[in-house]
Amino acid sequence: MKGRLYIFSGPAGVGKGTVLHLALERLSGIKYSVSCTTRAPRPGLDKEGETYHFISEDEFRRRIAAGDFLEYAEVHGHLYGTRRDIVESALEAGTDIVLEIDVQGAFIVKQKMPEAVMIFVKPPSMEELRRRLEGRGSEGREERELRIKNAEAEIACADKYDYVVVNDDLEKTVDEVINIVKKNREELQ
Ligand code: 5GP
């Protein structure tokens, strides 16, 4: 049986990376798709090949032309793309795979692969999202304001997702994500 594709989206600062990381630690048979990006690594947070493959814009454009990406998009002024080879080989091998990608990329993938399961992580409120973004301090003021502006547009797309989870309590949100994956596996049997 082929693996199942999951798409995981949500605005910057909502905690989706943490939620996903904790959920994947407790699930087996599902892997994380490491994207390519032209953004600079965040010192102390990013690790080449684990969080992203960090490549130049020239290299990114070369890979677009070669058809290497299942989808790609410009997000917050940088290019991000999903490697087609990683996704296809996981699904062929019967392994589930999750893409942590923005809403533009999510809809491109859903169009190509309608069986993909889409999960959106929402903040409890915009005030809380702003507070979390300021707290994490990984961006300057200008970059942060851009992310907040983009968040509103992204949240407006949440109702097109199959599942929406509100990250107000980390443990509860992780449980919800795990239950979504388990439920989809049961339905496949
Ligand atoms: P960050 O730079 O904060 O890690 O990610 C910024 C945004 O880009 C997030 O919304 C993240 O989900 C999205 N993103 C990461 N990888 C990809 C990708 O391969 N494709 C698309 N479309 N978005 C991505």
Side-chain angles (χ1 to χ4, degrees):
M1 197 171 57
K2 279 184 85 174
R4 177 155 278 207
L5 181 63
Y6 290 88
I7 299 170
F8 206 72
S9 306
V14 75
K16 63 181 180 303
T18 309
V19 170
L20 189 54
H21 182 79
L22 292 172
L24 290 180
E25 270 184 356
R26 286 171 47 197
L27 286 163
S28 57
I30 181 163
K31 66 182 265 189
Y32 179 81
S33 155
V34 179
S35 293
C36 295
T37 185
T38 60
R39 128 164 124 60
R42 294 183 185 124
L45 292 174
D46 280 313
K47 222 170 171 188
E48 165 60 36
E50 270 182 37
T51 50
Y52 286 103
H53 299 286
F54 295 94
I55 61 176
S56 68
E57 187 156 342
D58 280 353
E59 175 63 11
F60 200 100
R61 303 247 173 239
R62 194 194 62 73
R63 293 194 192 193
I64 294 174
D68 289 354
F69 295 124
L70 177 62
E71 64 73 37
Y72 67 92
E74 188 178 324
V75 190
H76 315 314
H78 307 286
L79 291 164
Y80 295 84
T82 301
R83 283 177 55 175
R84 181 191 301 278
D85 57 344
I86 293 180
V87 174
E88 286 178 354
S89 60
L91 297 179
E92 281 305 320
T95 304
D96 292 346
I97 186 158
V98 57
L99 317 182
E100 187 187 337
I101 61 177
D102 87 314
V103 295
Q104 309 168 71
F107 296 133
I108 296 171
V109 174
K110 183 73 175 179
Q111 212 165 31
K112 291 186 178 172
M113 300 162 119
E115 66 286 1
V117 178
M118 300 172 85
I119 306 171
F120 192 92
V121 186
K122 246 182 165 176
S125 66
M126 282 309 289
E127 292 70 43
E128 176 61 18
L129 186 69
R130 180 179 281 277
R131 207 181 58 75
R132 288 182 196 175
L133 267 176
E134 284 169 357
R136 94 176 175 185
S138 52
E139 292 89 15
R141 213 181 76 84
E142 219 170 287
E143 285 254 324
R144 192 164 62 232
E145 289 307 317
L146 177 64
R147 280 165 169 69
I148 289 170
K149 200 172 125 262
N150 289 346
E152 288 171 350
E154 287 178 287
I155 291 169
C157 297
D159 59 358
K160 298 200 179 71
Y161 279 63
D162 300 305
Y163 299 92
V164 178
V165 294
V166 177
N167 188 20
D168 47 2
D169 176 281
L170 184 60
E171 296 266 303
K172 190 180 107 288
T173 313
V174 171
D175 283 344
E176 275 182 60
V177 171
I178 290 171
N179 287 336
I180 292 168
V181 174
K182 287 188 174 162
K183 183 171 155 272
N184 276 278
R185 286 181 176 169
E186 279 163 17
E187 281 171 6
L188 278 181
Q189 279 169 6

